[in-house]
Structure formats: C-alpha cells, structure tokens
Amino acid sequence: MTFQGLPLFGSVLAAAMALILWTLVVWVWMYATRLPAISKAKIPPQAARFPGSLDTLPDGVRQVANNYNHLMEQPTLFYALAFLTYLLGQQSSFTAGLAWAYVALRVVHSLIQITVNLVPVRFLVFSLSTLVLMVWAGCVVLDVMA
C-alpha cells in the first residue's frame, strides 16, 4: 500500500490519519464506559453540563474521558506539523519515522492512562512524545531555513 508514491509508513499524513483513527477509538471507548456509568449512578444527563459534574464516576471511566481530552490537546501540534511538513515538501523517511513514533507513543500513553494510570510512566511516555515533536519541528525549521 502506498500514499502518493510513498510506502504507507513513509507518509506523515498517514501517521496523522492513524492518530485520528485512534482518537475515534478512544471516543467510542469513552462513551461505551461513560454512558453505562452515568446510568448506574443515576446522574441526569443535563447534570453533565457543568465541568466536574461527572467526577463521581469510577476512576476507570474518568481515565478514558481524560485521555480523550488529552488527545485533543498536544496532538493539535502534531497535526499542524504533519500538514506543514507535507505542504512544505519536507516529508522524508526521517520525518515520517518521527510522525509514526509520535503516534506509537500517544497510543502507549493512552493505554497506560486508560488502564494502570501510573503517572510517572505516563509522564515519561508523554515527555518522549514531546521530544519527538521538538526534533521533528526543528528538522522542518532547519530545512525551511536552508
């Protein structure tokens, strides 16, 4: 399988699509756990209009929701960087490798947060993913300036 002449894993846009798909998986996971928990806790749906109103739900339910929120935060930089890399013609096997490394680290981060939620381990994975973004952004900036 190729993406505009590149092997699928050689594309920053394919990596972006993979993270979009993972985010949608977490969204389904969130509602598959949240809706039954809300029903069991007899929380009226309208009560969810206030931040913190669902803080009484079990930790496992909240962890999935928190992870979904995290996938709406820093990955916005990833998406912007993926599109800039592609549009500026800076896509290479190295930048694609960084993009896929970021996706893999975010999936690992999700799985840690949603399951065992060990904060030191989760923070380490988050920090590594941030370093990947920094290296990638630095490469794109240096290529543009050259």
Side-chain angles (χ1 to χ4, degrees):
M1 181 179 264
T2 62
F3 187 84
Q4 293 193 0
L6 292 171
L8 183 60
F9 288 101
S11 168
V12 296
L13 295 182
M17 190 66 227
L19 191 56
I20 289 168
L21 291 173
W22 175 250
T23 301
L24 294 173
V25 166
V26 173
W27 182 88
V28 169
W29 194 343
M30 175 178 66
Y31 281 105
T33 58
R34 182 182 264 187
L35 293 177
I38 288 172
S39 177
K40 183 177 179 182
K42 295 182 174 41
I43 299 172
Q46 191 60 22
R49 72 188 185 280
F50 296 115
S53 63
L54 301 179
D55 287 349
T56 59
L57 294 178
D59 288 353
V61 173
R62 292 191 346 244
Q63 286 167 200
V64 181
N66 289 342
N67 186 258
Y68 179 76
N69 290 335
H70 291 165
L71 289 169
M72 296 296 122
E73 295 170 350
Q74 188 188 62
T76 60
L77 297 175
F78 165 80
Y79 296 124
L81 191 53
F83 289 111
L84 282 172
T85 300
Y86 181 79
L87 292 172
L88 293 171
Q90 301 301 325
Q91 182 169 256
S92 66
S93 59
F94 185 68
T95 56
L98 291 171
W100 282 104
Y102 183 82
V103 171
L105 287 165
R106 290 309 304 213
V107 170
V108 169
H109 177 272
S110 291
L111 294 172
I112 291 167
Q113 184 170 21
I114 291 169
T115 59
V116 295
N117 204 18
L118 295 173
V119 174
V121 177
R122 198 177 94 207
F123 180 71
L124 175 64
V125 174
F126 174 77
S127 297
L128 289 172
S129 69
T130 303
L131 288 173
V132 167
L133 280 183
M134 289 177 175
V135 169
W136 181 9
C139 289
V140 171
V141 167
L142 289 174
D143 283 347
V144 168
M145 292 175 59

